[in-house]
Amino acid sequence: MNKNNLGRLNDILFEQLDRMNNTNLKGQELQDEIDRADAIIDIGRTIIQNGDLALKAALKKSEGFYVDQGKDAPKMLEAGDPDENTRTPHR
């Protein structure tokens, strides 16, 4: 089962919020958590933007946009991964 989903992203964001709320963090430890939070926010924002684009492409496809235009949807805009089981893992 794929654990990478918006629910997990939400959990990670709240876990980071809990770490940032630790009043014992001072100096470099606090700066490290701030830096980590910034990175998590940037990655989370990108994940959400990609999901939004996939949703928009799926909606256009369901509305017959590509069929009406006489062409297929670009593969990079297809939601899901039909080749997921045949793909080799990244190394």
Side-chain angles (χ1 to χ4, degrees):
M1 180 178 214
N2 189 353
K3 293 182 181 180
N4 295 325
N5 56 49
L6 294 179
R8 178 70 179 126
L9 174 60
N10 197 52
D11 291 343
I12 290 168
L13 292 170
F14 276 106
E15 289 166 5
Q16 183 60 40
L17 182 62
D18 288 342
R19 285 191 298 272
M20 294 290 300
N21 200 32
N22 181 350
T23 57
N24 295 323
L25 289 178
K26 306 278 187 242
Q28 188 58 47
E29 285 182 321
L30 177 58
Q31 187 58 52
D32 289 346
E33 285 304 323
I34 291 169
D35 293 344
R36 184 189 323 258
D38 287 342
I40 289 171
I41 289 166
D42 288 344
I43 293 167
R45 187 174 291 127
T46 300
I47 290 168
I48 291 168
Q49 288 170 344
N50 286 343
D52 185 54
L53 178 60
L55 175 61
K56 287 176 182 175
L59 290 172
K60 286 293 185 184
K61 185 176 181 180
S62 73
E63 294 168 359
F65 177 78
Y66 297 108
V67 173
D68 292 345
Q69 301 294 319
K71 57 186 173 187
D72 292 331
K75 292 291 182 199
M76 66 181 286
L77 295 181
E78 291 288 331
D81 187 355
D83 299 319
E84 186 170 333
N85 295 329
T86 60
R87 208 172 8 154
T88 56
H90 294 285
R91 297 190 196 275

